[in-house]
Amino acid sequence: MGLEDKVLSRELQDVLYESGQTLGTAESCTGGRIAEAIISTPGASEYFKGGIVCYTNEIKERLLGVSHELLEEKTAVCEEVAVAMVKGAVKALNTTYAVAVTGVAGPGGGTKENPVGTIWIACGTAQETVTLMLSGDEGRDVNLSNATCKALQLLLDFVAARVPHQEREG
């Protein structure tokens, strides 16, 4: 885990620690790296409830409620699946917020439509989500590191804009 991930995790804690709002993760290609970064900050148990590593479509469907038809039609590597993973994680983990990642980290597994390095990140609530697509293959380790860092930043920006400021000053 990189220094930037630890800094982002600490900033996320500064926003969420006393807010009473909670967080969960749904990770496919990152395999738990985002959750690891979040819990690297002491006190994360005040707001982080847990994560689901959903490496296969079966788990995306069974635990997160991602539609089988959506996975068949669009594949697991698409914006719609990332959004469905967020909504499924919020429901399954009973959290305020969730962050989700699905993609092709490499070195194999890419297609013409989704080449290696295509990674979709989503975060949000049951009602509202934002997404980000990463592209470009820099090798598996860098692809996963980039996805983790970008997911934490997207999540931090989303949550910081929604947690009332007075809650963060305490």
Side-chain angles (χ1 to χ4, degrees):
M1 175 183 353
L3 177 61
E4 190 172 1
D5 293 346
K6 288 183 181 188
V7 169
L8 290 168
S9 176
R10 181 60 177 199
E11 290 176 9
L12 191 59
Q13 181 185 53
D14 290 345
V15 173
L16 282 175
Y17 188 76
E18 293 183 19
S19 73
Q21 297 180 350
T22 55
L23 172 63
T25 60
E27 300 182 65
S28 186
C29 64
T30 50
R33 288 176 182 224
I34 298 166
E36 178 187 23
I38 292 167
I39 63 99
S40 72
T41 302
S45 61
E46 292 296 320
Y47 53 89
F48 182 68
K49 284 192 166 186
I52 297 171
V53 175
C54 48
Y55 213 65
T56 65
N57 287 352
E58 173 194 2
I59 300 304
K60 288 176 184 74
E61 288 178 45
R62 282 199 308 134
L63 297 184
L64 298 174
V66 177
S67 156
H68 179 78
E69 293 74 23
L70 175 61
L71 289 163
E72 287 290 314
E73 180 184 333
K74 297 267 191 167
T75 79
V77 183
C78 69
E79 182 176 30
E80 295 88 345
V81 167
V83 168
M85 289 169 62
V86 165
K87 292 179 180 189
V90 165
K91 182 177 180 184
L93 299 169
N94 190 30
T95 60
T96 311
Y97 305 104
V99 60
V101 178
T102 184
V104 184
T111 64
K112 183 178 178 185
E113 297 78 24
N114 288 312
V116 171
T118 304
I119 298 174
W120 278 98
I121 303 167
C123 70
T125 65
Q127 297 79 29
E128 178 186 13
T129 56
V130 294
T131 61
L132 174 68
M133 186 188 86
L134 305 180
S135 61
D137 181 17
E138 298 183 53
R140 183 178 183 84
D141 288 340
V142 174
N143 292 345
L144 292 173
S145 179
N146 287 343
T148 300
C149 187
K150 295 290 187 184
L152 288 167
Q153 185 66 62
L154 187 68
L155 177 63
L156 175 61
D157 292 345
F158 185 88
V159 171
R162 285 153 184 84
V163 172
H165 186 66
Q166 64 273 15
E167 289 181 15
R168 292 187 283 157
E169 291 178 354

